[in-house]
Amino acid sequence: MLKSKTFLKKTRAGGVMKIVREHYLRDDIGCGAPGCAACGGAHEGPVLEPQPLDPASSLCPQPHYLLPDTNVLLHQIDVLEDPAIRNVIVLQTVLQEVRNRSAPVYKRIRDVTNNQEKHFYTFTNEHHRETYVEQEQGENANDRNDRAIRVAAKWYNEHLKKMSAENQLQVIFITNDRKNKEKAIEEGIPAFTCEEYVKSLTANPELIDRLACLSEEGNEIESGKIIFSEHLPLSKLQQGIKSGTYLQGTFRASRENYLEATVWVHGDTEENKEIILQGLKNLNRAIHEDIVAVELLPKNQWVAPSSVVLHDEGQNEDDVEKEEERARILKTAVNEKMLKPTGRVVGIIKRNWRPYCGMLSKSDIKESRRHLFTPADKRIPRIRIETRQASTLEGRRIIVAVDGWPRNSRYPNGHFVKNLGEVGDKETETEVLLLEHDVPHQPFSQAVLSFLPKMPWSITEQDMKNREDLRHLCVCSVDPPGCTDIDDALHCRELENGNLEVGVHIADVSHFIRPGNALDQESARRGTTVYLCEKRIDMVPELLSSNLCSLRCNVDRLAFSCIWEMNRKAEILKTRFTKSAINSKASLTYAEAQMRIDSAAMNDDITTSLRRLNKLAKILKKRRIEKGALTLSSPEVRFHMDSETHDPIDLQTKELRETNSMVEEFMLLANISVAKKIHEEFSEHALLRKHPAPPPSNYEILIKAAKSKNLEIKTDTAKSLADSLDRADSPSFPYLNTLLRILATRCMMQAVYFCSGMDNDFHHYGLASPIYTHFTSPIRRYADIIVHRLLAVAIRADCTYPELTDKHKLADLCKNLNFRHKMAQYAQRASVAFHTQLFFKSKGIVSEEAYILFVRKNAIVVLIPKYGLEGTVFFEEKDKPKPRLFYDDEIPSLKIEDTVFHIFDKVKVKIMLDSSNLQHQKIRMSLVEPQIPGISIPTDASNMDINEPERKKKKIEK
């Protein structure tokens, strides 16, 4: 049966076009209930259970299916995902509305419907002859959809009666809309609110905790006076933004101070780019990462960023007067120059809430069901939740979702989602840091895995089309120990004309991951492999990352090769790119490769090749540094794990060898060569990587620090910075140069991916290269897969596809990749921090030499070279007399009593693990030397506990 709609549309040219929309209605759409004679098994995919054995409901004791409306799906997805809820009919009308309103919820509901065990059935009611409804005159789209859902629910109940008279199955309509529920009951449809139904499941009381608490602005809890001003409606906000009354931006809460935040204004205006908000009422219920509208306050109300550290630790939930008192502390006396544009939030344009990890702060009131949840991320406010399982959740990491923030509540309301496990447990803490840094880490779905090649796999004739056979070459790979995802391999051989042929061979991942399929979409979403201390979260499934794409030795592998002809001065005479097949002759570690190069007894083909590569790499590096490339430094640490407990037993900084540098030089060269080639071919849509030059103000701290040691650092160009860092040497203080390079690294901007058609500045500051991209790590970076595809099209080895040449889509992709890379970096740091805590937990109290990296108003930030560990030594502590402190921003220096501290001064500190706050355990550092009465800790006290556990340990080991 065909329905058609006809309407007229005016074209741009001024003409009129007749549009006919056809809508097909069918009789053969199944209801999803197995054994239904009327449908005759017309359903595909997961179906409902013939006899639902769901938890007994006191409201509806007989077997039943559930049919939720759109708002239940949108707001109560946590309940629907619970294993206790099964046999749910999801209507097409509801699914389409959810898709339009929330992409994340839509993805979650698709995952649930694909889970066979949940028995969720998608019913195409919009194309079923008996359930399709047309919009009536004067009826809005929302009311029409509500009616369509009721019609489908009624049809289901009548349809199931025909199936079996004695075994009466029912369909229960779940809605939180009061009017919709009343209409459904009038029409004879069994209907309940989500809360009524969940509370009727007496065997599953824990489900109540997962209910989203939806108190709308209109019917807020009667108690409590209004604390916050009302949020303006979206229409008024958009008007105000258009007229310039309000500014739109991203709300960034402060980690240090819960009463302060900044709003990064969207758009290109340099003026008022960053707006400060201070005080609860001005923050007006915005949460970190929300898109907000702000109103600038008059200049006489502008403030300076606060240097006070304030954490929300009060147990009294609604003591707002005290908050206002604390807000006054922030307004320290400052000079005019320090004042920044200041504003207040007038409305929320888009909420960017996510599920938050943290811990429950149990209420002091006995039998209370209302408790405060403290998120692990200090930028997120505490959340009020209702739970009956508070005593079991104490001391555990849990996930909570925010439901809303009424005007009369000091905190947002939320609901419990999941119990992750014991605080401090390694598995639990790893899960927390992955969730908190938004690292996708769920196992790959069946849809993704279905696109992997079938095993056993081998190179076929078809694979060799447009591909060179280089399996005869003496190729080898050099990687860190234990590396299984080998992206790159190298070769170097002498040509008949006396020149050298050098090849960089990169795993051909784009051969296995084809554009647009589920495997490609998942890899693009993940963006990068994340390396934690003991775990690797792969961007692509393990079959590819550790097997078929990994360039392991003595197996045939597909590669993308960049081959140069060079003279002995490492000058490139010719460059060519080709898809290839290779067979690596050796998989070496950096140490093994170094040993071969250094050993006079070894002269085989692989060693000769490595020596030539090393010689060329030294020339390439020298040339690069002469051009102004920077050699910066950051202390990287490596943990040695106990083979049984997997706890860190030793911690040391990573050692870099010549071979690290050798591999790096050829990777850089390949990346630059490929960047030039893809930009030549695709000037508008090449995916490149740039590193912007830092603004001069970034270098102030570096220049001042060097000046305090009578050294001059020039920062007008990368070359002058590199040269002055090379000259900044002190024979009496050899570690000074490394410290300066570490400090210089902190001054740098973040390198980012971008699309060449959307930017004019391609320069890579750190590498002193006019153009750069990423080509050499496609197993662990999605950017490299796109670059491989572009290069393959450029050399006619593969065909193009629309998204590859759409610069706007490429720019969006770059945005996601930059976010994923930044988050991966933060997750790695968090993993190192957690393992460092584990290390010092077993080590006890340790005293070590340290160097000052920064001086603050009431603290010094130090670096301990032995462990590559950074920490803060505070000089003002609670319940202790305050010392005399004098901070000089110009030098910079900090005078405590009569002792002055400058950057790079050597000190001795005591390191210990502070577990007083279970949620935020941290490494605490205290000063041992120089000795300041009342501040320093005596040396003997610091060594007291340290050797005792060690001696006992040794006895046990014997």
Side-chain angles (χ1 to χ4, degrees):
M1 184 180 163
L2 186 68
K3 293 249 174 200
S4 63
K5 259 188 203 168
T6 308
F7 54 93
L8 301 174
K9 188 182 174 185
K10 200 172 181 181
T11 64
R12 275 185 182 173
V16 173
M17 186 163 67
K18 184 180 178 183
I19 292 175
V20 178
R21 286 252 168 92
E22 293 183 339
H23 189 90
Y24 289 88
L25 299 181
R26 297 166 56 167
D27 300 319
D28 59 349
I29 294 169
C31 67
C36 173
C39 296
H43 13 260
E44 293 171 15
V47 290
L48 303 157
E49 286 179 296
Q51 278 304 308
L53 300 168
D54 285 344
S57 161
S58 55
L59 288 171
C60 181
Q62 67 261 52
H64 56 269
Y65 301 134
L66 300 178
L67 192 149
D69 73 357
T70 309
N71 282 328
V72 169
L73 232 65
L74 279 169
H75 302 300
Q76 305 292 357
I77 182 73
D78 288 319
V79 171
L80 295 171
E81 282 178 334
D82 193 280
I85 302 291
R86 306 208 312 266
N87 294 299
V88 174
I89 297 160
V90 181
L91 298 180
Q92 180 190 4
T93 311
V94 170
L95 210 51
Q96 283 170 345
E97 275 197 282
V98 169
R99 188 180 192 169
N100 293 336
R101 284 167 64 181
S102 170
V105 173
Y106 178 73
K107 186 187 179 306
R108 284 169 72 180
I109 205 69
R110 294 302 308 179
D111 289 345
V112 174
T113 50
N114 290 333
N115 180 351
Q116 306 265 351
E117 290 168 16
K118 291 280 286 173
H119 297 285
F120 272 50
Y121 180 67
T122 310
F123 178 61
T124 322
N125 65 309
E126 294 290 354
H127 289 279
H128 194 290
R129 189 203 294 265
E130 292 177 46
T131 56
Y132 173 72
V133 300
E134 287 199 51
Q135 195 166 341
E136 291 171 356
Q137 215 169 356
E139 185 179 44
N140 65 30
N142 206 24
D143 290 343
R144 180 258 165 212
N145 287 348
D146 283 348
R147 189 162 58 87
I149 295 167
R150 290 197 306 276
V151 165
K154 192 169 187 179
W155 175 84
Y156 251 107
N157 276 315
E158 285 165 5
H159 178 79
L160 292 176
K161 272 179 197 167
K162 297 172 196 168
M163 193 171 116
S164 148
E166 71 282 348
N167 213 338
Q168 207 54 73
L169 270 171
Q170 257 193 330
V171 168
I172 293 180
F173 178 41
I174 305 289
T175 177
N176 287 332
D177 182 327
R178 196 177 66 240
K179 282 182 187 165
N180 206 5
K181 184 187 163 192
E182 284 166 5
K183 281 181 184 172
I185 291 167
E186 274 170 31
E187 291 166 22
I189 304 162
F192 302 109
T193 66
C194 192
E195 192 173 342
E196 285 167 347
Y197 181 76
V198 166
K199 284 183 175 172
S200 79
L201 303 175
T202 44
N204 297 78
E206 76 285 347
L207 261 180
I208 299 170
D209 287 353
R210 300 188 76 164
L211 276 170
C213 113
L214 300 168
S215 82
E216 297 302 318
E217 294 269 339
N219 56 23
E220 280 162 359
I221 314 156
E222 301 75 53
S223 70
K225 57 179 192 290
I226 300 296
I227 303 170
F228 299 102
S229 54
E230 199 172 347
H231 286 152
L232 298 178
L234 200 55
S235 53
K236 277 193 178 169
L237 296 179
Q238 283 164 339
Q239 265 176 333
I241 289 164
K242 219 173 187 178
S243 66
T245 318
Y246 307 137
L247 296 164
Q248 176 178 326
T250 305
F251 181 90
R252 300 264 163 84
S254 158
R255 279 178 208 279
E256 300 300 317
N257 189 332
Y258 75 103
L259 293 175
E260 185 169 278
T262 48
V263 170
W264 288 83
V265 178
H266 300 168
D268 301 325
T269 53
E270 273 311 304
E271 193 193 7
N272 301 337
K273 191 79 188 147
E274 195 182 329
I275 294 168
I276 284 189
L277 314 173
Q278 270 186 7
L280 264 189
K281 292 186 177 180
N282 290 340
L283 301 180
N284 198 4
R285 297 171 287 153
I287 293 178
H288 184 63
E289 292 293 347
D290 283 349
I291 309 294
V292 298
V294 289
E295 176 183 48
L296 272 179
L297 297 174
K299 277 201 172 177
N300 62 355
Q301 291 179 37
W302 283 14
V303 297
S306 159
S307 56
V308 182
V309 176
L310 272 185
H311 292 149
D312 180 11
E313 285 160 359
Q315 259 299 319
N316 190 346
E317 295 180 17
D318 293 305
D319 200 345
V320 179
E321 280 73 20
K322 264 190 187 169
E323 308 281 0
E324 285 171 8
E325 186 54 48
R326 294 186 90 173
R328 278 182 215 112
I329 303 170
L330 303 183
K331 296 173 176 54
T332 39
V334 285
N335 62 25
E336 286 286 303
K337 279 187 209 164
M338 303 282 282
L339 297 178
K340 293 272 177 78
T342 307
R344 67 182 189 96
V345 170
V346 289
I348 309 287
I349 292 160
K350 183 172 182 273
R351 286 289 193 191
N352 273 326
W353 296 340
R354 59 180 175 83
Y356 300 107
C357 299
M359 291 178 74
L360 199 67
S361 308
K362 202 173 159 202
S363 170
D364 293 337
I365 305 162
K366 247 188 174 182
E367 302 301 312
S368 172
R369 284 184 187 170
R370 299 178 81 192
H371 308 274
L372 278 178
F373 161 83
T374 307
D377 187 339
K378 289 183 177 173
R379 295 168 300 190
I380 307 299
R382 296 159 100 190
I383 300 161
R384 188 187 282 119
I385 67 166
E386 282 197 34
T387 176
R388 291 161 171 71
Q389 23 177 354
S391 33
T392 42
L393 296 179
E394 246 191 320
R396 298 183 78 80
R397 293 277 194 185
I398 62 171
I399 297 180
V400 160
V402 176
D403 300 324
W405 196 339
R407 288 174 59 198
N408 60 354
S409 169
R410 165 67 185 84
Y411 295 110
N413 292 328
H415 65 273
F416 166 77
V417 175
K418 191 179 177 186
N419 179 350
L420 291 173
E422 196 73 38
V423 70
D425 172 71
K426 209 181 301 179
E427 287 295 310
T428 306
E429 295 302 334
T430 302
E431 177 77 2
V432 168
L433 75 87
L434 290 171
L435 288 166
E436 281 301 292
H437 294 98
D438 198 6
V439 174
H441 60 287
Q442 279 68 34
F444 290 98
S445 69
Q446 273 314 115
V448 168
L449 298 174
S450 68
F451 286 97
L452 291 174
K454 302 289 171 275
M455 294 302 282
W457 175 87
S458 60
I459 297 175
T460 63
E461 233 175 275
Q462 185 63 30
D463 293 336
M464 290 307 292
K465 279 190 176 172
N466 301 324
R467 202 177 278 278
E468 261 185 68
D469 194 338
L470 303 178
R471 286 177 278 200
H472 59 285
L473 290 178
C474 185
V475 171
C476 71
S477 63
V478 185
D479 290 282
C483 176
T484 58
D485 51 346
I486 303 171
D487 285 292
D488 52 87
L490 298 158
H491 90 271
C492 180
R493 63 173 180 170
E494 197 167 348
L495 298 171
E496 286 172 5
N497 60 8
N499 289 332
L500 295 171
E501 178 187 82
V502 176
V504 165
H505 311 277
I506 304 299
D508 189 4
V509 183
S510 63
H511 172 84
F512 296 96
I513 299 181
R514 303 309 295 164
N517 69 22
L519 176 56
D520 182 47
Q521 286 170 358
E522 181 61 19
S523 307
R525 185 174 80 92
R526 293 183 178 221
T528 177
T529 291
V530 181
Y531 295 91
L532 305 179
C533 290
E534 277 192 89
K535 199 176 184 177
R536 191 178 81 199
I537 314 295
D538 280 325
M539 179 184 83
V540 298
E542 197 179 1
L543 179 67
L544 297 182
S545 67
S546 295
N547 188 349
L548 302 185
C549 291
S550 184
L551 304 180
R552 305 189 305 192
C553 60
N554 303 320
V555 285
D556 293 349
R557 288 289 177 258
L558 300 178
F560 210 146
S561 301
C562 171
I563 300 168
W564 303 279
E565 185 180 327
M566 290 183 178
N567 60 23
R568 305 279 166 165
K569 293 179 193 164
E571 289 164 342
I572 298 171
L573 309 170
K574 279 183 197 162
T575 306
R576 68 188 183 91
F577 307 99
T578 178
K579 290 239 178 180
S580 61
I582 64 163
N583 186 306
S584 170
K585 303 298 179 272
S587 298
L588 306 172
T589 65
Y590 290 117
E592 288 165 350
Q594 191 66 54
M595 194 186 72
R596 278 174 178 260
I597 291 168
D598 297 341
S599 167
M602 298 190 81
N603 287 303
D604 56 281
D605 288 351
I606 292 169
T607 308
T608 311
S609 174
L610 286 169
R611 283 191 188 125
R612 285 181 182 142
L613 287 166
N614 198 32
K615 208 178 251 182
L616 292 169
K618 285 177 179 173
I619 303 167
L620 288 168
K621 185 171 187 176
K622 187 168 177 274
R623 198 177 298 149
R624 215 163 45 77
I625 286 168
E626 280 166 5
K627 278 188 190 165
L630 298 172
T631 312
L632 299 176
S633 179
S634 63
E636 281 197 76
V637 294
R638 192 180 192 92
F639 292 94
H640 292 274
M641 299 295 181
D642 184 300
S643 56
E644 285 175 24
T645 64
H646 294 284
D647 284 340
I649 46 176
D650 196 10
L651 173 62
Q652 63 188 57
T653 46
K654 287 183 186 173
E655 186 186 342
L656 295 179
R657 295 179 169 83
E658 259 185 20
T659 42
N660 292 69
S661 180
M662 174 188 84
V663 173
E664 186 188 2
E665 284 310 314
F666 288 108
M667 296 306 120
L668 293 175
L669 193 61
N671 286 335
I672 292 166
S673 299
V674 170
K676 287 175 184 168
K677 178 71 179 172
I678 61 171
H679 185 245
E680 258 170 44
E681 287 287 328
F682 307 104
S683 58
E684 284 293 292
H685 43 259
L687 191 153
L688 301 174
R689 187 164 176 81
K690 67 171 181 175
H691 182 212
S697 59
N698 278 30
Y699 285 127
E700 274 175 19
I701 186 75
L702 177 69
I703 294 165
K704 284 178 183 176
K707 198 176 172 188
S708 72
K709 296 290 176 213
N710 299 318
L711 294 168
E712 188 187 10
I713 298 281
K714 290 192 170 153
T715 59
D716 39 341
T717 64
K719 172 92 178 109
S720 59
L721 174 63
D723 289 347
S724 48
L725 281 171
D726 287 341
R727 284 195 302 271
D729 248 343
S730 164
S732 60
F733 186 2
Y735 196 65
L736 177 65
N737 193 265
T738 308
L739 287 169
L740 281 165
R741 288 180 196 276
I742 288 170
L743 208 52
T745 310
R746 308 291 164 93
C747 303
M748 293 300 143
M749 306 289 282
Q750 191 80 35
V752 289
Y753 296 111
F754 70 101
C755 170
S756 58
M758 309 287 273
D759 212 317
N760 303 320
D761 173 26
F762 293 7
H763 191 76
H764 197 294
Y765 179 80
L767 297 171
S769 174
I771 193 165
Y772 191 65
T773 193
H774 272 163
F775 163 77
T776 55
S777 293
I779 296 177
R780 59 188 178 87
R781 289 189 305 232
Y782 188 77
D784 304 51
I785 293 178
I786 296 293
V787 169
H788 277 227
R789 288 175 183 169
L790 289 164
L791 185 61
V793 175
I795 64 167
R796 315 284 178 265
D798 206 345
C799 46
T800 184
Y801 59 99
E803 280 81 6
L804 195 64
T805 51
D806 181 333
K807 64 181 184 182
H808 297 285
K809 288 219 168 120
L810 205 56
D812 287 343
L813 178 72
C814 288
K815 195 175 169 187
N816 178 52
L817 293 178
N818 290 330
F819 170 72
R820 291 288 180 216
H821 276 263
K822 187 169 74 179
M823 284 302 150
Q825 221 175 359
Y826 291 162
Q828 280 154 344
R829 283 181 203 163
S831 178
V832 168
F834 174 62
H835 279 78
T836 307
Q837 287 173 12
L838 285 181
F839 172 71
F840 283 107
K841 193 175 185 176
S842 62
K843 189 93 174 158
I845 302 171
V846 181
S847 281
E848 288 296 342
E849 283 184 348
Y851 294 99
I852 298 175
L853 274 185
F854 303 100
V855 290
R856 303 273 187 245
K857 284 184 180 173
N858 62 346
I860 54 173
V861 178
V862 299
L863 174 78
I864 297 154
K866 182 176 174 181
Y867 299 127
L869 180 66
E870 205 177 298
T872 308
V873 179
F874 287 100
F875 296 118
E876 284 182 332
E877 289 193 49
K878 268 187 198 169
D879 314 322
K880 280 195 178 177
K882 284 194 176 179
R884 276 181 299 124
L885 298 177
F886 176 71
Y887 173 69
D888 185 341
D889 186 35
E890 278 311 302
I891 300 177
S893 70
L894 177 66
K895 189 177 180 182
I896 304 161
E897 301 296 341
D898 299 318
T899 309
V900 182
F901 291 101
H902 296 96
I903 293 185
F904 303 149
D905 281 359
K906 192 177 186 178
V907 293
K908 195 171 190 181
V909 293
K910 182 185 85 166
I911 314 160
M912 62 180 287
L913 181 67
D914 177 3
S915 307
S916 56
N917 180 336
L918 257 185
Q919 166 114 296
H920 297 112
Q921 294 193 28
K922 55 180 183 277
I923 302 286
R924 264 187 71 151
M925 296 193 183
S926 326
L927 191 68
V928 176
E929 286 173 17
Q931 291 193 353
I932 306 170
I935 300 282
S936 302
I937 288 161
T939 319
D940 51 356
S942 65
N943 289 332
M944 237 164 42
D945 316 71
I946 182 173
N947 297 321
E948 206 50 43
E950 285 298 313
R951 277 207 299 276
K952 283 180 186 166
K953 214 174 183 180
K954 279 181 182 145
K955 277 182 191 170
I956 294 162
E957 281 167 9
K958 282 175 189 168

